[in-house]
């Protein structure tokens, strides 16, 4: 009997009526011979409403308490769904993170699942119960409630599927993973399959469909993840290892863009590795994600160094710079950047992909401010105004 | 340094503004040299709204899931109050029931606190933190969330005060305990002090101010409980053992009335103790609280037996009766009853109190349907229509 772990997002549980529909779907799936574990997000806009409430209390809510507050949203939908299932005559039980020992580490608001105690889950499955789990949350070593970050319920679902050796299905309000965001490129194609690595790059680069950590866990434990609409005949996308897409030898699988970053440039500093490594260490210790880093060759022992960080963390980052640089150091901030990335496992084996893209950029007069690459992606910082035009040109060229 | 355990009810935390005010009050109290533990209820009408949500899902919500749902209300206000305190520069930490090991037993929706793990509380106090506890909830032996019943946060507060050997203050929307409900008798007097036993009787008899179990715990561990308005110069009432009121030798301390019960009469049954004890055992096993029981003397071995139960549990009770009585047994239900009680420790030492009351009833033509007494109270079932008149006459006679 297969163990199916499903996740339903906030928009899928936004009303009592929708919760009842999910109850019906889950019961049908169980009756067709599966053991069911269902991870739920908070109802509709609950999380945003709670954040708003916290912001009414204080501009800068304590992070432990914010996590304690936010975690209640998922507890509510879990209890309600369990009620709905029991009311339909099928046995069900809701669990919070501490009840099934979802252990987390790391920071409040973006903690990582370290382990899950599967005994209680197994027992409930053996008892024939449908298990409903409050997503998005865990308990850290000190016994505090932590949350996993926006979309974290995806990760809860994949982690449970990994632990129970089940299959994982993420139901959301999009019908699958697209090569390009359909809002940015109408002709975007939905992918039948995508490789973990590609999806991971796309997720971290701004494709909002999945919580990046959920893909990491899927890859680590080799759990195929289905992403799609619930109660729909429209086929979604399966995220898995070494997808068939590679057979086509298509170099680029998808495009991702993000407007959430700013570029910071420090000018004319001494090119000593100590200064730079100390600086980046300090930034990392505040868990600020530095992404694109580029450094110019030294002139008279002086270098310029640029990197991108999330807009939200700019203030904190500038404070750190103050501590590390002397007052005369010039720091520039460029807020007019869009990160534009192409991603594809095929790049490993196809050369000239980056060159092809840069040629396109040159021909179309798209200014590239920064570049970083990995084995399976190329990311450029471009101007906001060039975003949609670039998406169109690149998607067409690579047949996405 | 004294440990002060305060409880703030739902109306005291109904808005962010009120939560901020409580933060200020609590911080001031800490600064005047106390260790503070604050138990909070859910914001405003949250609990009713959650019950309503559950009832939209199903007419008969699963009790375990309902408790899981309801417990989130208190978690939210606890996190928000802790945030508010931290934002004011004082250290604070919120705890849910499982985090401080509030162990419960008994039924969902009306479970009892068995124990609290004081280690984490003590540690936080030693660390100088203001502790905020989500009231109304606990974790039973199976690790499930249970709630303590409406008003259960009172009991959370008293239990913590008992465990930490602290003083207990219950802040609510009334300014103290009155001899008679002021809505029923304008001249009602507020009591400076009241004995645990008296308060216990009054609470169980319909005075809604305090959760009865909280008084039991207060008495058991001899914790004086202050009840009153927060942030007010109006003095409230202290519930404690052997209150000074006894010195006056006043036989009656207070009056309580309740319209929440119905009387059930079973007619002409065989007066065998077996039938009756089996019946009451079955009713008790469903945790239906039988209150007033009266039985007529047998005529031809046949007896009538009457008792009162909460209106809400009438249907369940009638089902039990069907199982125990044969089809010909006549069962009457009288919904027109108000339980009217006088309570006073002084009755132990003053005789003729009941007689005096019955004389009043006779003179004023108040029909008494049933009577039960304990050492410190007399309860009569009277007609709804006579309630306010009776309250007035009795309160005047006993100078309440």
């Amino acid at each position: 009997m297969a163990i199916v772990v499903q996740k339903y997002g906030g928009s899928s549980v936004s009303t009592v009526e929708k919760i009842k529909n999910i109850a019906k779907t889950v019961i049908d799936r169980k009756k067709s011979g599966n053991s069911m574990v269902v991870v739920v997000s908070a109802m509709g806009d609950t999380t945003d409403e709670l954040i708003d409430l916290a912001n009414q209390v204080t501009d800068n809510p304590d992070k432990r308490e914010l996590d304690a507050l936010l975690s209640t949203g998922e507890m509510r939908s879990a209890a309600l769904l369990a009620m709905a299932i029991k009311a339909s005559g099928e046995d069900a039980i809701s669990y919070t993170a501490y009840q099934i020992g979802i252990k987390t580490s790391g920071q409040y608001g973006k903690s990582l699942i370290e382990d899950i105690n599967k005994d209680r889950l197994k027992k409930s499955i053996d008892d024939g119960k449908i298990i409903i789990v409050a997503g998005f949350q865990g308990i850290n070593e000190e016994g505090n409630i932590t949350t996993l970050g926006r979309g974290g319920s995806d990760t809860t679902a994949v982690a449970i599927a990994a632990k129970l050796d089940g299959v994982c299905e993420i139901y959301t309000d999009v019908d699958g993973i697209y090569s390009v965001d359909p809002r940015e490129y109408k002709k975007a194609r939905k992918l039948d399959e995508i490789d973990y690595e590609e999806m991971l790059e796309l997720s971290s680069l701004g494709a909002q469909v999945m919580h990046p950590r959920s893909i990491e866990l899927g890859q680590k434990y080799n759990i195929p993840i289905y992403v799609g609409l619930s109660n729909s005949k429209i086929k979604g996308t399966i995220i898995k290892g070494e997808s068939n897409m590679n057979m086509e030898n298509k170099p680029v699988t998808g495009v991702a863009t993000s407007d959430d970053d700013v570029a910071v440039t420090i000018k004319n500093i001494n090119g000593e590795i100590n200064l730079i490594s100390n600086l980046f260490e300090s930034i990392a210790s505040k868990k600020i994600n530095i992404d694109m880093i580029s450094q110019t060759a030294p002139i008279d022992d002086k270098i310029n160094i640029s990197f991108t960080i999330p807009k939200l963390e700019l203030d904190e980052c500038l404070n750190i710079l103050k501590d590390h640089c002397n007052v005369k150091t010039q720091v520039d901030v460029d807020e007019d950047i869009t990160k534009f990335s192409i991603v594809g496992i095929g790049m490993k084996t196809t050369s000239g992909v980056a060159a092809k893209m840069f040629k396109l950029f040159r021909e179309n007069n798209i200014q590239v401010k920064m570049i970083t690459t990995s084995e399976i992606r190329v990311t450029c910082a471009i101007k906001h105004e060039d975003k949609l035009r670039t998406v169109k040109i690149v998607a067409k060229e690579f047949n996405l």
Side-chain angles (χ1 to χ4, degrees), chain A:
Chain A
M1 202 160 69
I3 296 177
V4 178
V5 183
Q6 299 186 328
K7 177 254 174 176
Y8 291 92
S11 56
S12 315
V13 292
S14 60
T15 64
V16 166
E17 225 37 64
K18 288 185 178 180
I19 289 175
K20 286 183 183 176
N21 284 338
I22 292 176
K24 205 174 157 306
T25 308
V26 171
I27 290 173
D28 287 349
R29 191 69 178 278
K30 175 162 201 292
K31 284 186 172 159
S32 69
N34 300 284
S35 295
M36 300 299 295
V37 181
V38 181
V39 176
V40 285
S41 297
M43 291 174 78
D45 298 325
T46 303
T47 304
D48 287 331
E49 286 160 19
L50 290 174
I51 290 173
D52 184 54
L53 202 58
N55 286 332
Q56 285 173 42
V57 170
T58 164
D59 292 339
N60 187 19
D62 179 73
K63 284 176 178 164
R64 177 191 186 276
E65 300 304 336
L66 186 60
D67 273 11
L69 180 71
L70 297 184
S71 69
T72 60
E74 281 71 17
M75 295 182 191
R76 287 191 181 176
S77 27
L80 288 169
L81 179 55
M83 263 177 217
I85 292 173
K86 290 206 86 167
S88 303
E90 197 69 38
D91 203 3
I93 189 160
S94 76
Y95 286 131
T96 63
Y98 88 89
Q99 289 177 319
I100 52 169
I102 301 183
K103 296 215 178 74
T104 50
S105 67
Q107 290 205 308
Y108 291 112
K110 43 183 170 180
S111 63
L112 306 176
I113 294 182
E114 292 293 334
D115 199 8
I116 297 174
N117 180 346
K118 69 178 173 188
D119 296 347
R120 200 163 182 187
L121 290 170
K122 276 279 189 198
K123 166 100 178 50
S124 296
I125 286 173
D126 292 345
D127 292 347
K129 291 187 206 299
I130 295 173
I131 299 172
I132 317 297
V133 175
F136 176 64
Q137 61 197 273
I139 305 292
N140 69 13
E141 214 174 326
E142 293 80 41
N144 298 314
I145 298 168
T146 71
T147 65
L148 310 178
R150 206 156 273 263
S153 296
D154 295 343
T155 299
T156 308
V158 176
I160 291 174
K163 199 75 194 179
L164 297 178
D165 207 13
V167 302
C168 186
E169 300 170 356
I170 306 291
Y171 293 109
T172 172
D173 48 3
V174 297
D175 61 359
I177 312 292
Y178 280 77
S179 55
V180 189
D181 187 333
R183 287 166 304 184
E184 294 179 354
Y185 183 60
K186 275 186 213 154
K187 294 181 197 156
R189 291 196 304 158
K190 191 169 58 189
L191 306 169
D192 289 334
E193 297 184 355
I194 185 170
D195 185 85
Y196 294 120
E197 279 190 62
E198 292 172 323
M199 187 64 207
L200 198 51
E201 291 279 11
L202 288 174
S203 299
S204 4
L205 293 168
Q208 301 290 329
V209 183
M210 292 282 293
H211 194 232
R213 172 76 173 166
S214 66
I215 315 295
E216 273 176 37
L217 286 181
Q219 183 172 30
K220 185 167 173 190
Y221 296 101
N222 199 26
I223 303 292
I225 305 168
Y226 176 87
V227 181
L229 297 172
S230 90
N231 265 326
S232 167
K233 290 207 169 121
I234 301 170
K235 217 179 117 194
T237 303
I238 297 178
I239 308 166
K240 57 201 271 290
E242 292 294 318
S243 94
N244 290 334
M245 299 294 291
N246 302 338
M247 305 299 282
E248 297 178 30
N249 242 342
K250 212 177 157 198
V252 178
T253 306
V255 158
T257 62
S258 162
D259 302 326
D260 299 335
D261 300 78
V262 292
V264 176
T265 303
I266 313 171
K267 290 193 173 163
N268 290 318
I269 52 173
N270 287 322
E272 291 164 28
I273 190 68
N274 269 351
L275 172 74
I276 298 166
S277 85
N278 284 343
L279 177 63
F280 284 179
E281 217 170 274
S282 296
I283 292 174
S285 77
K286 296 284 181 183
K287 306 276 175 188
I288 297 173
N289 271 328
I290 286 197
D291 185 25
M292 307 177 73
I293 300 176
S294 66
Q295 182 189 317
T296 55
I299 301 173
D300 296 340
D301 277 346
K302 300 282 184 184
I303 59 161
N304 291 348
I305 188 159
S306 301
F307 52 87
T308 63
I309 51 164
K311 257 180 205 162
L312 287 173
E313 283 159 352
L314 179 60
D315 289 345
E316 203 168 351
C317 179
L318 292 179
N319 281 333
I320 296 170
L321 291 186
K322 264 186 215 150
D323 295 342
H324 283 272
C325 304
N326 67 51
V327 284
K328 281 180 290 183
T329 309
Q330 193 188 337
V331 175
D332 281 359
V333 174
D334 182 356
E335 303 209 31
D336 179 20
I337 64 161
T338 286
K339 284 200 302 190
F340 176 91
S341 309
I342 53 173
V343 170
I345 282 263
M347 284 190 215
K348 284 185 184 175
T349 49
T350 315
S351 54
V353 176
K356 198 169 173 187
M357 189 167 84
F358 296 140
K359 182 161 170 271
L360 275 181
F361 280 23
R362 197 179 58 238
E363 285 168 4
N364 289 282
N365 204 22
I366 295 163
Q367 185 198 335
V368 176
K369 300 183 175 193
M370 293 170 77
I371 300 170
T372 52
T373 60
S374 80
E375 241 189 341
I376 67 161
R377 70 149 163 140
V378 180
T379 300
C380 302
I382 59 175
K383 290 190 208 167
H384 288 319
E385 63 183 49
D386 289 334
K387 178 166 86 167
L388 293 182
R389 196 163 60 96
T390 310
V391 168
K392 217 167 183 171
I393 294 162
V394 173
K396 206 172 158 197
E397 175 70 25
F398 291 103
N399 191 25
L400 300 178

